[in-house]
Amino acid sequence: MVESASSGKRAKASDDDAQEAGCRPTFYMSTELLAEINAQCEAEGNKKRSPFLVELLELVLTSPMGQQLRENAERNRRGLVHELEENLLLFNEHIPTERIEELAAASQRNPDQMLVRLVLLGLRVYERSIARMEAEIDASSGLT
């Protein structure tokens, strides 16, 4: 009788595990959002929205970039969605994307490659100018 109860508990646990493994989340969204997701999926040549949503969730939740977003959100005491929104707003409001696209086309690069190149070049110029200013300050301090 003890064995029967024990095997019954194992069967119940096994059923729970099977249900959990097959569990799929339900997303409630506006008709407009659903239409935009479908349009994006069609534009990408994928007729199903599930892979699109999975890739988006994986990017935000499991990728190294997603990990960085989560860490920034925690550090800034914001939710993950708010942190993502702030990052996108910062990028879109302050980066001259049209000019970057023009430069990219002129140099036969993709816009994302051009943006990385410009940031790295900007960092190099900035670091050199800071080093030059520090050297001038040190030189003028040595004269007095």
Side-chain angles (χ1 to χ4, degrees):
M1 183 152 183
V2 172
E3 187 176 322
S4 174
S6 176
S7 64
K9 285 181 182 178
R10 275 183 277 168
K12 170 99 171 96
S14 177
D15 289 345
D16 289 344
D17 290 344
Q19 286 176 349
E20 186 68 27
C23 179
R24 299 288 184 247
T26 301
F27 298 105
Y28 297 99
M29 60 187 79
S30 68
T31 305
E32 295 84 14
L33 178 58
L34 184 59
E36 289 298 321
I37 290 170
N38 285 332
Q40 183 63 38
C41 290
E42 284 185 29
E44 293 180 8
N46 183 357
K47 301 295 182 192
K48 296 181 180 181
R49 48 183 183 262
S50 181
F52 173 76
L53 292 174
V54 168
E55 287 179 24
L56 190 58
L57 288 170
E58 283 179 346
L59 174 71
V60 173
L61 297 175
T62 63
S63 72
M65 183 173 54
Q67 176 65 33
Q68 184 66 45
L69 271 174
R70 287 190 305 281
E71 290 171 3
N72 290 344
E74 186 176 322
R75 184 174 43 252
N76 296 325
R77 296 190 170 125
R78 296 192 272 233
L80 184 57
V81 171
H82 187 88
E83 186 67 27
L84 181 59
E85 181 180 35
E86 288 297 315
N87 276 273
L88 291 173
L89 287 174
L90 174 68
F91 181 81
N92 287 324
E93 288 183 1
H94 301 290
I95 303 291
T97 54
E98 291 175 4
R99 183 68 179 126
I100 291 170
E101 288 173 1
E102 291 170 4
L103 291 170
S107 64
Q108 299 179 345
R109 290 187 171 93
N110 291 326
D112 59 332
Q113 293 170 326
M114 191 72 223
L115 180 61
V116 169
R117 176 125 173 95
L118 290 171
V119 168
L120 294 175
L121 182 60
L123 284 172
R124 188 178 315 146
V125 168
Y126 178 78
E127 288 169 346
R128 286 180 182 166
S129 67
I130 293 295
R132 190 176 316 119
M133 285 176 27
E134 288 175 353
E136 288 174 5
I137 290 171
D138 289 345
S140 67
S141 296
L143 295 176
T144 55

